Amino acid sequence: PLLKSARGSTWLHQTDTKIKGIQHVYGAQHPPFDPLLHGTLIKPGSKPPTTPVKLKKVSTFQEFESNTSDAWDLGDDDDELLAIAAENLNTEVVMETAHKVIQNHSKLQEQHKYQEEHLQEEKQEEFAQLTSVACGDNRLVKSVSEGHTSSSLDSASENSSMQRSQSLPQTSIPPLASGMADYSSSVTPALTEREASRLDKFKQLLAGPNTDLDELRKLSWSGIPKRVRPIAWKLLSGYLPANVDRRESTLQRKRKEYFAFVEQYYDSRNDENHQDTYRQIHIDIPRMSPEVLRLQPKVTEIFERVLFIWAIRHPASGYVQGINDLVTPFFVVFICEYIEEEEVENFDVSSLPEEVLQNIEADSYWCMSKLLDGIQDNYTFAQPGIQKKVKMLEELVSRIDEQVHRHLDQHEVKYLQFAFRWMNNLLMREVPLRCTIRLWDTYQSEPEGFSHFHLYVCAAFLVRWRKEILEEKDFQELLIFLQNLPTVHWGNEDISVLLAEAYRLKFAFADAPNHYKK
């Protein structure tokens, strides 16, 4: 049976009380909606079914959408992005190029793994030599046999400690900043030179009186260097105009406008009709990542204001669990505009001047609002946008990898049970934050990246684990695996391969929807 909490967060329960480890579908808020029922609405107050029921197809979501008038911001003229010119591409050329990109990234990963293994072998040889020297000294080791025994024990201890470190949870990942910008640049000098060259291209593009947004998108698709990411994101999101002379006045106007909203609305958080919204925001903020950053009182204060103001100004959806995650990448990226520290996770936010914190807060609010404008139907009543995208994901996977799709179906694993969170949180709960930031470089470079291209990224992400999925022969194990994918050590190369595969899928299926519809 499927049970719902008072706030509507859906939890997976099985009649077998031995099943443990399956997480709830994070993000579902509205009480009438249960994502596991594929669109079937349950009337408030009615009891959940205790026996399997044959579900009927209804059109409630479509009827609701056609009768809903939403209160979303229309945006200012000077904030509009230029439309991307349509290009006629040769199918064979694009598909061949996509395959080459994937192969190149795969080769780079193999080279990195080989270098790491070679380095590990050298360390072991060096350790063996030191051990042999120690064995020759009677003052350290009484006999050669004892020396070998000691060496074996030390080696076993080293291996076991290494295994423990590899199995640590996500909180033990490398520092955020180093992973964000140049996660793989420290492996080979060639990548460092490439990053330097790319940084020069960005600086030249941003130095002109009018930034060519089409060129900026093309250049940003493959990732944005950390030093220019804040200004690039503000331009790509439509928050800042392309004209350099108008940017400072736009920033001052929008920041002043945001704090006018704070002055007007924030005191109403204790009103009876807003208490539930504010309470839910206060509960969700400690769930965010990175862990150290989210526990700082100043960060909590900023996030509460941003989320509450957005919810009040968008009453058609209000606050929904999962929106809190979407502030984090903007907040972290915009902090990097003002600090030199590499470890953003451990940076004391309260040490920044109040004016700087206000700028970061306002910029994060407006950029998050721009993002949500493009996926607004994900968070309206019953979240029809997510319902639709999960259904499209199921149809797409059934065409690109029928074996995986059939395996999930045979074990009664429904796509909504794992992909609802992928759509609701934009994969932020599935990959480290440094990877999310790299992913968003591309999303902001793609037309409708967060709403449309994300579908193909999710499809590529699921098929990426086909070997592990096909090896699981149990409903419980399959679902636990899909809700806890081993991406803790992912970096830029992994995201690049994922994006290349997603682009290939998009080119093959986006303009030919009948290819993935049965």
Side-chain angles (χ1 to χ4, degrees):
L2 305 170
L3 305 178
K4 301 190 294 298
S5 67
R7 290 299 305 163
S9 295
T10 309
W11 293 76
L12 300 176
H13 292 273
Q14 296 292 329
T15 53
D16 184 359
T17 57
K18 294 182 180 179
I19 294 181
K20 297 180 180 178
I22 299 178
Q23 302 173 358
H24 67 288
V25 181
Y26 180 76
Q29 176 206 28
H30 305 285
F33 171 60
D34 193 325
L36 302 184
L37 295 183
H38 291 269
T40 301
L41 293 180
I42 301 175
K43 295 180 179 180
S46 62
K47 296 181 178 179
T50 56
T51 57
V53 180
K54 185 176 181 181
L55 304 177
K56 297 181 179 180
K57 187 176 182 181
V58 296
S59 59
T60 307
F61 297 146
Q62 290 78 3
E63 293 173 1
F64 174 80
E65 283 186 291
S66 64
N67 295 325
T68 300
S69 177
D70 211 339
W72 305 99
D73 295 332
L74 296 178
D76 301 319
D77 292 339
D78 54 344
D79 292 334
E80 294 292 335
L81 289 175
L82 297 175
I84 294 181
E87 298 181 4
N88 294 323
L89 301 176
N90 182 279
T91 303
E92 295 181 358
V93 173
V94 172
M95 297 299 283
E96 182 180 355
T97 303
H99 280 299
K100 287 182 179 178
V101 171
I102 296 173
Q103 290 174 1
N104 288 340
H105 282 296
S106 299
K107 288 179 180 178
L108 283 174
Q109 283 185 302
E110 291 177 359
Q111 291 175 2
H112 296 166
K113 291 179 180 178
Y114 172 78
Q115 290 175 354
E116 291 177 358
E117 292 175 356
H118 185 64
L119 182 62
Q120 186 64 30
E121 289 177 358
E122 289 181 349
K123 288 182 178 179
Q124 290 177 353
E125 290 177 1
E126 183 180 354
F127 180 78
Q129 292 174 359
L130 291 173
T131 304
S132 63
V133 172
C135 290
D137 191 341
N138 292 329
R139 291 174 297 176
L140 296 177
V141 181
K142 293 182 179 179
S143 67
V144 175
S145 61
E146 287 184 24
H148 286 296
T149 304
S150 176
S151 174
S152 301
L153 290 173
D154 291 342
S155 178
S157 176
E158 183 180 358
N159 291 336
S160 63
S161 64
M162 185 181 301
Q163 291 174 357
R164 285 196 299 271
S165 65
Q166 290 175 347
S167 63
L168 289 175
Q170 186 165 340
T171 54
S172 63
I173 59 177
L176 174 66
S178 60
M180 265 190 325
D182 301 312
Y183 182 83
S184 56
S185 62
S186 60
V187 178
T188 58
L191 288 179
T192 303
E193 294 175 3
R194 176 179 177 273
E195 281 298 319
S197 174
R198 284 179 54 78
L199 180 60
D200 289 339
K201 291 180 180 179
F202 273 96
K203 287 181 176 179
Q204 292 174 10
L205 185 61
L206 296 170
N210 288 284
T211 301
D212 188 332
L213 295 182
D214 286 338
E215 287 299 320
L216 181 60
R217 292 189 189 99
K218 292 177 182 178
L219 196 57
S220 300
W221 205 97
S222 300
I224 305 174
K226 178 184 175 184
R227 291 177 60 183
V228 295
R229 184 176 275 130
I231 182 66
W233 275 27
K234 291 172 185 176
L235 287 166
L236 292 171
S237 66
Y239 176 45
L240 284 185
N243 184 275
V244 175
D245 296 334
R246 293 167 55 201
R247 288 177 190 169
E248 187 59 33
S249 61
T250 300
L251 281 174
Q252 292 179 3
R253 174 171 58 84
K254 300 298 283 185
R255 289 166 178 172
K256 184 177 180 180
E257 185 179 352
Y258 167 72
F259 282 102
F261 292 150
V262 172
E263 185 176 353
Q264 181 179 356
Y265 297 118
Y266 195 57
D267 287 341
S268 67
R269 65 188 182 279
N270 296 320
D271 293 353
E272 185 177 353
N273 56 333
H274 293 153
Q275 279 184 354
D276 288 344
T277 297
Y278 182 73
R279 186 183 300 112
Q280 189 61 50
I281 291 171
H282 192 73
I283 291 173
D284 288 343
I285 285 177
R287 302 175 180 177
M288 297 188 305
S289 177
E291 182 179 17
V292 179
L293 190 63
R294 73 190 180 197
L295 297 178
Q296 297 184 29
K298 195 65 179 179
V299 176
T300 300
E301 177 187 335
I302 291 173
F303 274 61
E304 286 179 355
R305 274 199 300 267
V306 168
L307 293 170
F308 184 77
I309 297 302
W310 189 90
I312 294 301
R313 297 193 66 244
H314 298 82
S317 68
Y319 174 75
V320 179
Q321 291 174 337
I323 293 179
N324 57 304
D325 284 337
L326 306 185
V327 188
T328 308
F330 291 115
F331 184 76
V332 170
V333 167
F334 295 155
I335 281 181
C336 295
E337 188 174 7
Y338 298 95
I339 66 173
E340 296 295 332
E341 284 81 354
E342 289 295 315
E343 296 187 7
V344 180
E345 283 182 309
N346 300 318
F347 178 73
D348 182 8
V349 175
S350 62
S351 65
L352 289 171
E354 187 63 28
E355 182 182 357
V356 169
L357 289 175
Q358 290 180 352
N359 292 343
I360 294 172
E361 179 178 345
D363 294 347
S364 299
Y365 170 83
W366 287 114
C367 288
M368 183 198 73
S369 297
K370 290 289 185 181
L371 186 162
L372 288 170
D373 285 347
I375 53 175
Q376 54 188 350
D377 60 342
N378 281 14
Y379 304 104
T380 54
F381 175 78
Q383 302 177 266
I386 294 179
Q387 288 263 2
K388 181 180 178 181
K389 289 182 179 69
V390 173
K391 183 62 178 175
M392 292 175 67
L393 175 65
E394 182 176 357
E395 293 172 346
L396 182 58
V397 173
S398 70
R399 305 306 294 171
I400 64 177
D401 198 325
E402 186 178 358
Q403 188 178 7
V404 168
H405 174 75
R406 188 168 60 249
H407 185 76
L408 294 175
D409 184 62
Q410 288 175 348
H411 292 85
E412 300 182 353
V413 175
K414 306 301 181 185
Y415 282 73
L416 276 167
Q417 293 171 328
F418 61 88
F420 181 89
R421 190 173 70 180
W422 296 8
M423 301 299 178
N424 190 70
N425 302 77
L426 299 177
L427 288 177
M428 283 193 62
R429 295 296 175 110
E430 319 311 319
V431 297
L433 183 57
R434 61 178 180 272
C435 294
T436 295
I437 291 174
R438 168 62 190 91
L439 199 61
W440 283 23
D441 288 345
T442 299
Y443 280 2
Q444 295 187 90
S445 307
E446 274 280 325
E448 300 180 319
F450 292 97
S451 60
H452 186 63
F453 187 61
H454 180 65
L455 168 68
Y456 299 96
V457 173
C458 288
F461 188 63
L462 179 61
V463 175
R464 159 69 176 77
W465 309 102
R466 73 181 315 275
K467 179 178 178 292
E468 292 84 352
I469 290 173
L470 296 176
E471 288 175 352
E472 298 291 352
K473 306 297 183 182
D474 177 72
F475 166 83
Q476 175 192 353
E477 297 301 326
L478 263 173
L479 204 53
I480 290 176
F481 174 75
L482 289 169
Q483 290 184 344
N484 299 276
L485 293 167
T487 61
V488 65
H489 296 297
W490 271 31
N492 281 359
E493 288 298 330
D494 300 280
I495 295 297
S496 297
V497 173
L498 182 68
L499 289 168
E501 178 62 20
Y503 180 79
R504 185 183 71 83
L505 293 176
K506 178 195 171 188
F507 188 83
F509 293 96
D511 297 325
N514 289 332
H515 286 183
Y516 65 81
K517 284 186 178 179
K518 293 183 179 180

